[in-house]
Amino acid sequence: ARFPDSMRVKRLEGMMWEAKGEYDMAMADYDEILEEEPNNLAALKRQVALLRARGKPAEAAKRLAAHLEVVGSDADGWLQLCDLYLSQAQYQRAKFCMEELLLLNPMAYIHHLRYAEILLTLGGIDKGGNADLVRTARKYFAHSLDLKPRGNLRALYGLLLCCAAAPKGQKTAAEVEELGACAQKKLLEEYGEAKATSMLDTVKAMSTALLS
C-alpha cells in the first residue's frame, strides 16, 4: 500500500468494505484505527452507524458511552446516544443525555423540547403517573417556546398534553387552564398562518377535548 500507516486511508478502506457489504471486515479496520487512536471520532462514529444498521443498538450505545466518558463535550455524540437509548425505551438514560446537551448548549430550543418530551413520557409511564415530572416537562416545553416562538408545533402539542395531564383541583389549576388555552390559541394561529384550513377543525376539536 502507498500509505500503509494512514488512518484516513484505513477508514476509507473500512467504508469500502461497508459498501461491499463486508461488515466484519469494516469493523476490523475501524478497530485497528481505534487501537492506534482511541479518540478517532470518524472511525468511532462509522462503527456506531454500522452497529445501528446491523440491529445492535446496545453495543453501539456501549461504545459511544465509553467515548463520551473521555470526550464529554461531543454534542453530536450525546445526540446519537440519546437516540440509541430512546430506540431501546431506556428513557432515564436518554434523559441524562439531554441534560448533558442542555449544559453544553442551554440556548438550543430543540434540547429543551426533547428533554420535555422525555420527561412527559416518563411521567406518563410511571405507575399511576408522576405529576412532578409532567409539571417539569411543562416548564421545559414553555421554555422551548420562549426560545422559538414560531413554528414550534411539537412544543405546543407537548404543552397541551401536560396541561391535560395536570391534576384537577390544585391551587395552580387556573394557571394551567390559562396556559392550555394559550397553547391551543397559538396552535390554531400556526395552522391558520400556514393556510392549513383543512386541519383547523380537527386540531380545534382535539385540543378542546384534551383540555375539557
Side-chain angles (χ1 to χ4, degrees):
R2 189 173 177 184
F3 304 103
D5 299 321
S6 170
M7 296 297 105
R8 183 170 179 271
V9 170
K10 180 66 71 176
R11 178 167 56 86
L12 290 172
E13 184 181 276
M15 293 171 71
M16 180 194 71
W17 287 123
E18 282 189 62
K20 291 182 176 180
E22 299 285 351
Y23 301 128
D24 290 335
M25 295 292 289
M27 287 295 288
D29 275 343
Y30 299 142
D31 279 334
E32 283 185 34
I33 294 171
L34 291 167
E35 282 178 15
E36 291 290 326
E37 299 177 4
N39 293 321
N40 189 306
L41 287 180
L44 173 74
K45 288 181 180 179
R46 284 312 314 153
Q47 274 198 334
V48 169
L50 190 53
L51 288 167
R52 291 183 75 169
R54 298 180 76 183
K56 298 180 178 180
E59 188 177 345
K62 183 178 178 181
R63 290 180 184 240
L64 203 47
H67 156 69
L68 288 166
E69 284 183 7
V70 179
V71 188
S73 60
D74 181 5
D76 184 60
W78 286 114
L79 275 172
Q80 285 196 51
L81 187 57
C82 180
D83 286 341
L84 283 165
Y85 286 144
L86 288 175
S87 72
Q88 301 170 78
Q90 296 183 23
Y91 298 112
Q92 287 288 356
R93 290 185 176 185
K95 172 175 170 285
F96 176 79
C97 293
M98 290 312 304
E99 287 168 350
E100 292 295 317
L101 282 163
L102 283 168
L103 287 173
L104 289 172
N105 188 356
M107 297 305 292
Y109 86 94
I110 192 67
H111 294 345
H112 292 270
L113 172 59
R114 296 193 72 188
Y115 186 58
E117 288 174 339
I118 293 169
L119 289 174
L120 180 57
T121 301
L122 283 168
I125 64 175
D126 198 31
K127 188 175 181 180
N130 188 316
D132 288 339
L133 283 174
V134 173
R135 184 164 51 250
T136 305
R138 191 170 73 228
K139 292 176 182 177
Y140 278 91
F141 279 127
H143 193 50
S144 176
L145 284 164
D146 284 340
L147 293 169
K148 189 178 189 296
R150 311 302 300 175
N152 197 351
L153 295 179
R154 279 168 61 184
L156 287 170
Y157 277 116
L159 204 51
L160 273 176
L161 289 170
C162 287
C163 292
K168 310 297 180 185
Q170 293 191 348
K171 291 181 180 179
T172 57
E175 179 185 333
V176 171
E177 185 177 339
E178 183 181 348
L179 187 60
C182 181
Q184 181 189 39
K185 180 184 175 184
K186 287 185 178 295
L187 197 57
L188 294 173
E189 286 175 359
E190 290 275 359
Y191 280 99
E193 290 175 9
K195 302 193 184 318
T197 51
S198 60
M199 290 289 294
L200 275 173
D201 289 341
T202 302
V203 173
K204 185 175 182 179
M206 177 271 297
S207 55
T208 300
L210 275 174
L211 296 174
S212 61

